[in-house]
């Protein structure tokens, strides 16, 4: 199957398979800060597969019942809003009669109807809930309720002064899962276009690439993130969704990223990044392929987390014997890299500046 390099990432899959992403944070976020780290998430963590391309609740439910299945192995699923497990009672079409589902970032927040076949069907954005919550939530924000109108012992409904003295109608999930919801929302505002918000979306979010969340949203969801750290159950959900969509929520695998993008470390460089000075050193850390190089890079490493290590490479159709190309040996300008590994193929145009 012929595949292409996408941006600076190399994607390689075989027919009929789900693409499993490499850990692009370790490979691409190092040496970047705030907006650039968020851009890394956008470039590398979009789903490869969606559960359906239409409003087919049956397909969606089949996936949700796998993603939120309890550990009891009895067909029950976890309702995070109620902190309980529920055994579905199905109608003749296979849709649960006693359950609903909630989208953390509601469809009503998006201007574009095209998002209904992508962002609205992203499993990281959807959780099982009770039908009462589904009816109450609608398109309201998730926030801490200060003026409670109803409280069922798990989630609360009422108003909150999200900013200033305004009373914003909202839903408050259980404290035990607030971090899960916050990290899912941060994922959504990172991987999907930011200039699409309307309604409550415009109250909570900004139409820019960074920071995308308004100040009151940053304050609120950072607190949820800190108060409810990543749990084994959240990591398990990450694994299950990856098996279906082919991508992960990097804020679950690397929760420290949130600090660098929105938190106390915003403006600081993530990790360490040392430009290679000796391309032939056997213990030199390889730098993943990117679009542009300068003399300071030292070498072009023929490496990507998405390409097998035994791939064969060419530059401008000329075979490459080793696994790196010293910058000094490459003329300034644009060059075409190609690789083959079994039935996988790809290409990338790089630019050398001297």
């Amino acid at each position: 199957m012929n595949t292409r390099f996408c941006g600076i990432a190399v994607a390689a899959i075989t027919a009929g398979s789900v693409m499993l992403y490499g850990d692009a944070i370790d490979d691409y976020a190092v040496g970047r800060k705030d907006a650039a780290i968020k851009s890394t998430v956008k470039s590398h963590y979009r789903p490869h597969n969606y559960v359906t391309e239409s409003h087919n609740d049956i397909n969606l439910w089949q996936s949700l019942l796998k993603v939120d299945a309890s550990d009891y192995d009895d067909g029950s699923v976890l309702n995070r809003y109620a902190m309980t497990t529920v055994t579905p009672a199905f109608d003749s079409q296979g849709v649960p009669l006693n359950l609903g589902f909630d989208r953390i970032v509601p469809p009503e927040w998006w201007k574009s109807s095209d998002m209904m076949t992508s962002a609205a069907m992203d499993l990281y954005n959807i959780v099982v809930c009770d039908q009462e919550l589904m009816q109450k939530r609608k398109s309201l924000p998730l926030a801490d309720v200060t003026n409670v109108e109803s409280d069922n012992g798990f989630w609360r409904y009422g108003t909150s002064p999200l900013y200033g003295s305004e009373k914003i109608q909202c839903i408050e999930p259980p404290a035990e899962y607030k971090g899960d919801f916050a990290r899912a929302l941060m994922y959504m505002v990172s991987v999907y276009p930011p200039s699409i918000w309307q309604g409550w979306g415009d109250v909570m979010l900004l139409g820019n690439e960074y920071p995308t969340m308004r100040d009151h949203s940053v304050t609120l969801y950072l607190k949820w993130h800190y108060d409810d750290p990543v749990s084994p159950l959240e990591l398990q959900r990450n694994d299950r969704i990856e098996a279906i969509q082919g991508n992960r929520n990097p804020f679950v695998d690397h929760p420290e990223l949130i600090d660098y993008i929105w938190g106390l470390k915003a403006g600081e460089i993530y990790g360490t990044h040392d430009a290679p000075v000796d391309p032939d050193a056997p213990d030199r850390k390889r730098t993943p392929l990117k679009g542009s190089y300068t003399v300071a890079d030292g070498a072009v490493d023929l490496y990507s987390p998405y390409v097998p290590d035994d791939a064969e490479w060419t530059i401008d159709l000329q075979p490459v014997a080793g696994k790196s190309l010293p910058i000094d040996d490459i003329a300034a300008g644009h060059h075409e890299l190609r690789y083959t590994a079994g039935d996988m193929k790809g290409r990338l145009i790089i630019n050398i500046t001297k």
Side-chain angles (χ1 to χ4, degrees):
M1 178 178 180
N2 188 25
T3 62
R4 299 183 301 162
F5 289 100
C6 179
I8 61 173
V10 182
I13 59 175
T14 55
S17 68
V18 173
M19 179 163 67
L20 301 181
Y21 287 70
D23 192 341
I25 297 303
D26 285 342
D27 288 305
Y28 291 107
V30 173
R32 297 185 170 192
K33 64 181 181 179
D34 42 55
I37 300 174
K38 187 170 178 289
S39 177
T40 296
V41 174
K42 182 177 182 179
S43 297
H44 296 278
Y45 285 92
R46 283 287 294 271
H48 182 63
N49 293 321
Y50 289 95
V51 295
T52 181
E53 295 182 355
S54 64
H55 294 289
N56 189 330
D57 286 352
I58 297 175
N59 289 349
L60 178 57
W61 271 113
Q62 287 175 344
S63 295
L64 284 177
L65 294 176
K66 295 176 183 177
V67 167
D68 287 322
S70 74
D71 291 332
Y72 297 119
D73 197 27
D74 59 358
S76 63
V77 294
L78 175 64
N79 174 357
R80 281 170 171 76
Y81 276 105
M83 299 169 51
T84 59
T85 58
V86 181
T87 300
F90 298 101
D91 65 14
S92 60
Q93 300 299 313
V95 175
L97 294 167
N98 56 337
L99 288 171
F101 58 80
D102 179 56
R103 290 184 170 96
I104 296 166
V105 179
E108 292 85 354
W109 291 17
W110 300 313
K111 293 178 183 177
S112 172
S113 60
D114 292 340
M115 303 309 292
M116 287 304 299
T117 58
S118 55
M121 303 310 296
D122 191 321
L123 291 172
Y124 287 112
N125 190 42
I126 309 172
V127 292
V128 171
C129 69
D130 52 86
Q131 292 187 345
E132 182 186 3
L133 180 283
M134 187 168 63
Q135 295 300 319
K136 285 278 193 182
R137 171 75 198 281
K138 297 180 180 177
S139 64
L140 296 177
L142 296 176
D144 291 324
V145 172
T146 55
N147 180 28
V148 179
E149 297 178 22
S150 62
D151 183 346
N152 70 356
F154 301 109
W155 54 267
R156 303 198 295 178
Y157 171 80
T159 60
S160 174
L162 280 177
Y163 57 95
S165 60
E166 291 192 53
K167 297 293 184 180
I168 305 298
Q169 208 78 33
C170 58
I171 295 284
E172 180 181 346
E176 289 80 356
Y177 291 106
K178 284 181 177 178
D180 302 47
F181 288 110
R183 287 180 285 272
L185 183 142
M186 291 170 179
Y187 159 87
M188 292 298 293
V189 303
S190 295
V191 301
Y192 292 102
S195 58
I196 60 176
W197 312 118
Q198 64 179 358
W200 288 115
D202 194 42
V203 171
M204 303 297 291
L205 306 170
L206 294 166
N208 58 21
E209 290 289 346
Y210 179 79
T212 312
M213 292 193 294
R214 294 188 182 275
D215 289 345
H216 57 269
S217 296
V218 170
T219 300
L220 171 69
Y221 296 127
L222 274 179
K223 184 178 186 304
W224 286 13
H225 163 65
Y226 295 141
D227 290 349
D228 174 34
V230 174
S231 66
L233 186 63
E234 192 176 1
L235 285 166
Q236 180 188 71
R237 195 172 202 267
N238 232 25
D239 293 339
R240 290 175 175 178
I241 294 179
E242 181 188 24
I244 297 172
Q245 292 189 169
N247 71 319
R248 298 181 69 81
N249 179 349
F251 299 125
V252 174
D253 294 326
H254 296 274
E256 72 279 3
L257 286 179
I258 294 170
D259 244 357
Y260 283 89
I261 298 175
W262 294 287
L264 297 175
K265 295 185 178 180
E268 295 184 21
I269 302 296
Y270 178 74
T272 58
H273 180 74
D274 299 317
V277 294
D278 181 5
D280 298 320
D283 58 347
R284 176 176 61 81
K285 176 177 171 56
R286 296 181 296 174
T287 300
L289 282 164
K290 53 186 181 178
S292 299
Y293 292 85
T294 67
V295 173
D297 288 301
V300 175
D301 290 315
L302 301 176
Y303 160 71
S304 166
Y306 311 124
V307 175
D309 282 337
D310 61 354
E312 296 181 356
W313 294 85
T314 65
I315 181 169
D316 301 329
L317 302 181
Q318 298 301 310
V320 177
K323 294 298 183 182
S324 66
L325 295 164
I327 295 289
D328 288 343
D329 293 349
I330 310 174
H334 290 86
H335 301 271
E336 180 188 67
L337 295 176
R338 291 179 178 266
Y339 83 89
T340 58
D343 63 348
M344 295 183 290
K345 300 179 180 179
R347 61 187 290 271
L348 171 68
I349 302 298
I350 62 172
N351 183 48
I352 306 294
T353 302
K354 293 187 177 181

